[in-house]
Amino acid sequence: MKILIADDHDMVRETLAAFLGREKDFEIELASDLEDAISKINEKNRFHLVLLDYSMPGMKGLEGLKRAKDANEPWPVAIMSGTAPKAIAQEALDAGAIGFLPKTMAATSMINAIRFMSAGETFVPVQFMTAEEPEAETNELAKGLSPRELEVLSGLCRGLANKEIARELDLQEVTIKLHVKTLSRKLDAKNRTHAAMIAKEAGLF
């Protein structure tokens, strides 16, 4: 069974490959962004299942899903993410993804899900889709921030550098620097680390 894992974070990619590579019937290929994934799909004459990171460079939301689906027809494509909410998961399914995998899934569960999807069955964790999500609007700190500023702040809270946040959001690094500067001003933070501390203490992330 040929499986393509496309993710721009080396550690995530290698960890998933290590887990899945233990299965004797899995043949794993890796890609670092959407263009690399499309190239691998064409080079290997399609995969039984393609796993795409929702936030990696080139994805542009779910546009990347359509490109990968077109390239990998008739075999399925799934979306995985460590940060996307269930609304995005539902959008991915509506757009034709065979499934949605949170990166927090246990290795054994992910292996079972991959076998399920490669057989043509749609998969999304019921617990993930039914879990209550706190509304950002209920957090006082979030009220004064734009959706983009919240995305950048999420990256700061996860310890990402400006370059990594820029790749994740498909923006220029200079744009992220401007957002960080604005966030520091709005949150009355001394620096990016202080901004992240304020957000965490407020229970925003």
Side-chain angles (χ1 to χ4, degrees), residues 134-154 157 182-183 186-187 195 198-205:
E135 294 291 336
E137 289 76 10
T138 62
N139 190 295
E140 288 297 320
L141 191 65
K143 290 182 178 179
L145 304 179
S146 70
R148 182 65 80 191
E149 287 167 348
L150 286 170
E151 289 178 327
V152 173
L153 186 55
S154 171
C157 289
T182 302
L183 281 168
K186 287 186 175 183
L187 300 178
I198 292 171
K200 289 180 179 179
E201 288 174 358
L204 188 55
F205 296 104

Side-chain angles (χ1 to χ4, degrees), residues 50-67:
V50 173
L51 296 176
L52 298 178
D53 174 37
Y54 175 73
S55 302
M56 70 180 174
M59 284 295 288
K60 297 180 181 178
L62 293 174
E63 289 181 26
L65 170 63
K66 183 181 185 307
R67 289 187 59 196

